[in-house]
Amino acid sequence: MKRIACFAAVAVGGLFACLPAMAQDYSGHTLTVGTWGGDIERLLREHVAGPLEAETGAKVEFLLGGSGDRLSKMAAERNNPTMDVTFQNIYEAPLALKDGLVVAPDAAAVPNAADVWPGMNEGCYAMSLVGLGIAYSKSLFPEEPEWADLWQPQFRGMMAYAPYPSSEGDGMLAVAARVAGADEHDPDAAFAKLAELGAPKLTYSSLDEVLSLMDAGEIAAAPMISGYVISNLANYEGIGFVFPKDPGPVLVRDMVCQVANSPEPELAQMFIDLAIGIDTQTAYAKELNFGPTNSKVALTEAEAANVINTPEEVASLLQMDWPYVIEQRSAWTDRWNKEILGQ
Amino acid sequence: MKPQITGMLVAPAAALMFGVFVLPFLFLLVLSFWSQVPGSLGLDTSFTLANYVRIFGDSYYLGGLWTTLWLSGLVTLICLVLALPLSRWIVLRAGRAKGLIIGLSILPLVCGALLPTLGLVNLLSPLGFINGALKSMGVIQSSLPLLGNITGVTIGLVQAFLPLMILPLITTMERLSQDYEKAATSLGARPVVVWQRILLPLLLPGIVAGSLLVFCASLTAFVTPQVLGQGKVVTFASLAYQQAALVLDWPFASALAIVMLIFLTLAGVLGALVTRNFGRVA
């Protein structure tokens, strides 16, 4: 009996040691989380906000929109932030940390951060892994294309791009530079090579818009982020998606950040801990085909087929010099407008 | 009414305008003379004219300004041509359906910009209703390019802002006595002459008001050019959005916005001059 009591005491003590803040009642508190709408918001509500509200009594409010809007909001509210947690992309997170807008990752405050693959918590906590690959029309590409295949003359003027600047646009410039035998540090080579593809047929504002046209063969191909496309392939029989090998797909990573000086720092840390925990990360992989960053997530072979989920796979991806790219942002946007769109 | 009471009644609206318009506008103006630190979200607050030099020294931005101006003019002209007969029909012939037709006419205005624009994408896209119908009738073999060009953006802007032309014209026409028209006709004036010499001069206040509203709305429109232009139609509003929300170069975006505001002011002054000149003539 004494042994059981001791075990119970240790177990309870251990639980409280692991989740010190969880025991506290946060009724009447509101945590504001900025993220993307759609499936991401749905999964976060189901796997993070719901459990957190049940555990703490706090209310979680989502602020939906683009990551650029959130970065602007953080900068504008620098001295009096209203957002506690924000989801940013791979290049925005280090920028936000450099400018003191977010708190550096801390495994002591967010225990699950210790389980994230080494080296991925750059700027903020790594949330998901995706790669920039090629979505293509099967009617125009009988076989899975490599990057260089996009430069075949018959596809000139038949590409679709996301609005620039974006991970997709910068990633495609990095690919174009490598196809030309250089890298992103040689923007002249990158822009000249990309311009050879002609002006895009479409700068898309929604996934459905580009996938419908690609399905019908109106658009040949588009550099797109894996998770979203793969999740939609079942709806479009005429579209394929491939991770090219030469060069490999460009690594794109979503990050979750604790906003500096936010009103609810403890709730923010709890939210982030749940977000990068095994349950949420598994749901991301199974439902969205977003690769988990938590090294303890176990996927079946079928589930792992479409996601990037190991350091070895990450190592095979093309990793860009984002700090350099960010410094070029303004100049490259002008060049994109003139040399790519304005042909 | 005593001046003190008038002042008290005006004060809340004036305070609101000062807080939500004048102060942000002044900040926007100051921001346009600052610069963004490259690779950072930080601002360099030393005074510079670099943003304006970039706008007026780069043919790309001047081209965007020119496209925005003539596109706004074109939309205004098309709206006027469509709204004149429609408004006259509503005033003179619609009868008991007048309220319903006016309500239907202003529907695009109350729906917001995004919903009708996305509806137009379904109509105008290569896989949309118009191309599908023409192909199935054998009129065309390949899709007509109705999106990603000036045609698509013009259709979208006319659809969105036609109510801004119809409403002032209806208001002006309703106040217009039909006696002038009858007198001119009885004196042998042909319909074209009646329109040219009688109706158009008398309708000028409504035409100026409607044209000003449509021109300014088109000049600053963002959603419609962005969605229907598919990144290929460069307008000043889409450039300002790109710089503010994607590049995060807020000083340059502010300078673009200030230039746009200057042209809005010029349009207003031009409208006032036309109306005043007309007043003398009338």
Side-chain angles (χ1 to χ4, degrees):
Chain A
M1 190 68 191
K2 193 177 175 184
R3 190 176 293 174
I4 294 171
C6 280
F7 177 76
V10 168
V12 172
L15 182 68
F16 274 78
C18 286
L19 302 169
M22 286 286 193
Q24 200 174 327
D25 182 11
Y26 285 91
S27 299
H29 292 241
T30 300
L31 181 78
T32 306
V33 177
T35 188
W36 297 276
D39 284 337
I40 287 182
E41 179 210 355
R42 177 179 60 79
L43 284 187
L44 290 175
R45 280 192 191 279
E46 287 173 11
H47 295 270
V48 185
L52 186 67
E53 286 178 339
E55 188 73 36
T56 63
K59 189 174 183 311
V60 178
E61 279 186 355
F62 284 95
L63 198 65
L64 304 179
S67 61
D69 297 338
R70 292 194 284 279
L71 206 54
S72 304
K73 186 176 173 66
M74 276 195 288
E77 299 178 345
R78 185 186 290 269
N79 298 320
N80 189 23
T82 57
M83 211 165 41
D84 300 288
V85 176
T86 178
F87 286 75
Q88 303 295 148
N89 64 34
I90 189 169
Y91 58 83
E92 291 165 341
L95 181 66
L97 181 64
K98 185 180 153 192
D99 280 24
L101 300 177
V102 298
V103 177
D106 179 7
V110 179
N112 279 327
D115 294 333
V116 171
W117 295 109
M120 287 194 188
N121 289 329
E122 286 179 302
C124 297
Y125 301 90
M127 181 67 202
S128 56
L129 299 169
V130 278
L132 184 75
I134 305 173
Y136 62 94
S137 170
K138 286 180 181 173
S139 62
L140 298 172
F141 289 95
E143 293 176 9
E144 290 185 345
E146 271 294 319
W147 291 116
D149 294 329
L150 303 182
W151 272 264
Q152 292 175 45
Q154 67 268 34
F155 302 131
R156 185 180 163 81
M158 291 186 72
M159 296 292 134
Y161 299 137
Y164 191 86
S166 59
S167 308
E168 291 94 333
D170 287 325
M172 193 58 197
L173 280 170
V175 167
R178 279 161 179 81
V179 172
D183 65 21
E184 64 266 25
H185 297 93
D186 185 351
D188 290 341
F191 277 99
K193 192 68 191 173
L194 194 59
E196 290 177 14
L197 291 177
K201 189 155 191 176
L202 170 72
T203 299
Y204 58 88
S205 51
S206 77
L207 203 61
D208 187 50
E209 185 183 13
V210 61
L211 295 182
S212 301
L213 291 171
M214 196 180 289
D215 195 35
E218 296 270 347
I219 284 171
M224 297 184 86
I225 288 171
S226 55
Y228 298 117
V229 186
I230 292 169
S231 301
N232 274 282
L233 283 185
N235 303 324
Y236 298 96
E237 287 182 359
I239 296 179
F241 182 83
V242 61
F243 282 133
K245 293 183 178 57
D246 183 25
V250 180
L251 172 65
V252 180
R253 193 165 51 215
D254 284 343
M255 312 292 286
V256 54
C257 312
Q258 181 189 343
V259 178
N261 308 313
S262 85
E264 299 287 352
E266 290 176 350
L267 283 170
Q269 288 162 356
M270 285 183 252
F271 183 97
I272 293 169
D273 200 45
L274 284 167
I276 59 174
I278 293 173
D279 176 56
T280 312
Q281 293 281 306
T282 306
Y284 256 56
K286 286 183 177 176
E287 296 189 39
L288 301 183
N289 293 295
F290 278 33
T293 55
N294 190 315
S295 58
K296 294 195 171 167
V297 170
L299 299 176
T300 64
E301 200 172 325
E303 289 164 352
N306 288 326
V307 300
I308 297 158
N309 66 324
T310 64
E312 292 75 29
E313 281 182 298
V314 171
S316 73
L317 267 55
L318 174 60
Q319 305 213 28
M320 293 173 58
D321 183 354
W322 285 111
Y324 171 77
V325 172
I326 290 166
E327 287 202 1
Q328 313 305 314
R329 179 121 296 168
S330 184
W332 284 18
T333 302
D334 274 0
R335 292 192 72 167
W336 182 278
N337 289 340
K338 294 173 189 174
E339 297 173 35
I340 307 302
L341 299 180
Q343 292 184 70
Chain B
M1 195 181 284
K2 289 181 179 175
Q4 293 93 331
I5 296 174
T6 310
M8 281 171 62
L9 290 173
V10 170
L16 187 70
M17 281 298 286
F18 185 77
V20 302
F21 179 73
V22 178
L23 277 182
F25 172 76
L26 290 174
F27 182 64
L28 191 80
L29 188 64
V30 171
L31 193 60
S32 73
F33 293 104
W34 293 353
S35 59
Q36 196 83 35
V37 178
S40 161
L41 296 169
L43 298 172
D44 181 347
T45 56
S46 37
F47 179 87
T48 176
L49 289 171
N51 294 320
Y52 291 98
V53 171
R54 187 173 164 194
I55 293 171
F56 292 106
D58 187 327
S59 60
Y60 177 75
Y61 291 102
L62 283 177
L65 181 59
W66 172 240
T67 303
T68 312
L69 287 172
W70 78 255
L71 179 65
S72 305
L74 177 68
V75 170
T76 306
L77 188 66
I78 295 173
C79 282
L80 181 61
V81 170
L82 293 176
L84 271 172
L86 181 61
S87 306
R88 186 168 162 81
W89 183 83
I90 290 173
V91 170
L92 298 181
R93 304 267 185 271
R96 281 189 291 183
K98 187 172 159 186
L100 177 68
I101 293 168
I102 291 177
L104 288 173
S105 305
I106 63 169
L107 209 54
L109 211 56
V110 294
C111 283
L114 191 58
L115 207 61
T117 305
L118 291 178
L120 277 176
V121 170
N122 287 327
L123 283 179
L124 303 175
S125 87
L127 308 176
F129 176 77
I130 293 175
N131 275 309
L134 291 174
K135 277 182 193 170
S136 64
M137 287 188 289
V139 178
I140 55 172
Q141 299 303 316
S142 57
S143 300
L144 295 173
L146 299 174
L147 285 179
N149 51 28
I150 290 289
T151 307
V153 176
T154 305
I155 292 170
L157 290 176
V158 168
Q159 180 273 150
F161 300 136
L162 189 61
L164 294 176
M165 187 68 85
I166 290 175
L167 291 177
L169 283 178
I170 286 178
T171 310
T172 314
M173 283 180 185
E174 280 185 328
R175 285 197 305 233
L176 201 65
S177 168
Q178 287 186 52
D179 293 343
Y180 299 112
E181 197 180 337
K182 285 176 185 169
T185 309
S186 68
L187 291 170
R190 286 175 290 128
V192 174
V193 177
V194 172
W195 269 97
Q196 192 183 344
R197 302 284 295 275
I198 308 293
L199 290 177
L200 285 179
L202 290 172
L203 289 175
L204 201 59
I207 292 173
V208 171
S211 300
L212 208 55
L213 286 172
V214 173
F215 184 83
C216 293
S218 304
L219 196 71
T220 53
F222 162 67
V223 172
T224 304
Q226 186 76 4
V227 175
L228 300 181
Q230 298 182 329
K232 294 181 203 165
V233 179
V234 182
T235 64
F236 239 50
S238 59
L239 285 173
Y241 169 78
Q242 185 184 45
Q243 293 295 329
L246 301 176
V247 182
L248 305 176
D249 187 343
W250 300 311
F252 186 53
S254 303
L256 288 165
I258 291 292
V259 171
M260 211 152 56
L261 284 169
I262 289 170
F263 278 92
L264 284 177
T265 310
L266 288 176
V269 170
L270 188 67
L273 285 174
V274 170
T275 309
R276 188 186 298 175
N277 189 42
F278 160 76
R280 283 185 192 143
V281 173

